[in-house]
Amino acid sequence: CPSHRRNPSSSIGKPGNSAVAGLGAGKAGRAVLGCATDSAISPGKRALTITIYGITTCDTVKKARVWLDNHDVPYRFHDFRAEGLDAKRLDGWVGKVGWEKLLNKSSTTFRELADKDKQSLDEKKAKALMLTKPTMVKRPVLEVGDRVLVGFKPEAYEQAVR
């Protein structure tokens, strides 16, 4: 679908990878899916929406995006610095994987916090920190349909996008 193709300034996939944005995009088997009218959609296959969240300068995010590109997995990239992070999405992630897994305590942003902000962390405080400074979220976060993966492990990505 031409409306989903990448232009040079877009953070949405590239033409050779048929990366797309929005709902209904994804991968079913080996078929790369685009629009709902895309001929690559096989009957009985469910299209998955795949979004990767992170920041462009993160090496792990770069590795994950290269892996997705090399495996022809269509996805949308959401840059925390440019697009922020909303509370509803963060609440959903916390409900699925827990705040402890999402809060990156080894991030530069977290380490630069005052000691009083790092102590006695609970879900409420951790979510407030991540919403204020999304770079404290462990990266990348990959949403595949209703699944959430935190960090990058090629074997986990392989399973998630099948």
Side-chain angles (χ1 to χ4, degrees):
C1 173
S3 67
H4 291 122
R5 301 295 186 225
R6 177 181 215 167
N7 66 47
S9 63
S10 173
S11 65
I12 301 169
K14 45 191 181 225
N17 290 345
S18 298
V20 296
L23 296 175
K27 183 178 178 91
R30 305 228 16 112
V32 176
L33 305 181
C35 295
T37 59
D38 193 327
S39 61
I41 298 175
S42 303
K45 297 280 186 175
R46 189 181 112 195
L48 294 176
T49 300
I50 299 177
T51 305
I52 186 169
Y53 295 81
I55 58 176
T56 56
T57 56
C58 175
D59 288 337
T60 309
V61 170
K62 289 177 187 177
K63 288 176 190 174
R65 291 181 73 186
V66 166
W67 188 94
L68 292 168
D69 289 340
N70 288 343
H71 289 82
D72 295 324
V73 177
Y75 66 95
R76 178 184 174 282
F77 177 67
H78 178 103
D79 186 336
F80 287 140
R81 284 197 177 124
E83 301 175 63
L85 175 62
D86 66 83
K88 185 177 177 183
R89 182 159 314 279
L90 181 61
D91 286 342
W93 292 348
V94 168
K96 290 181 181 185
V97 300
W99 68 268
E100 298 92 342
K101 189 169 186 175
L102 282 168
L103 182 65
N104 186 357
K105 292 182 181 178
S106 63
S107 74
T108 303
T109 309
F110 185 84
R111 287 179 295 171
E112 290 174 348
L113 287 175
D115 286 339
K116 68 177 177 66
D117 293 330
K118 295 180 203 177
Q119 295 170 353
S120 304
L121 276 175
D122 59 13
E123 182 176 322
K124 184 178 178 181
K125 288 180 184 179
K127 288 189 333 187
L129 286 172
M130 290 184 278
L131 286 171
T132 304
K133 298 180 186 269
T135 55
M136 280 194 245
V137 174
K138 184 174 171 88
R139 304 173 298 266
V141 175
L142 185 73
E143 287 183 344
V144 181
D146 61 353
R147 289 188 61 196
V148 175
L149 284 79
V150 179
F152 172 61
K153 292 185 178 164
E155 56 280 358
Y157 274 43
E158 182 69 40
Q159 270 191 326
V161 301
R162 283 189 211 187

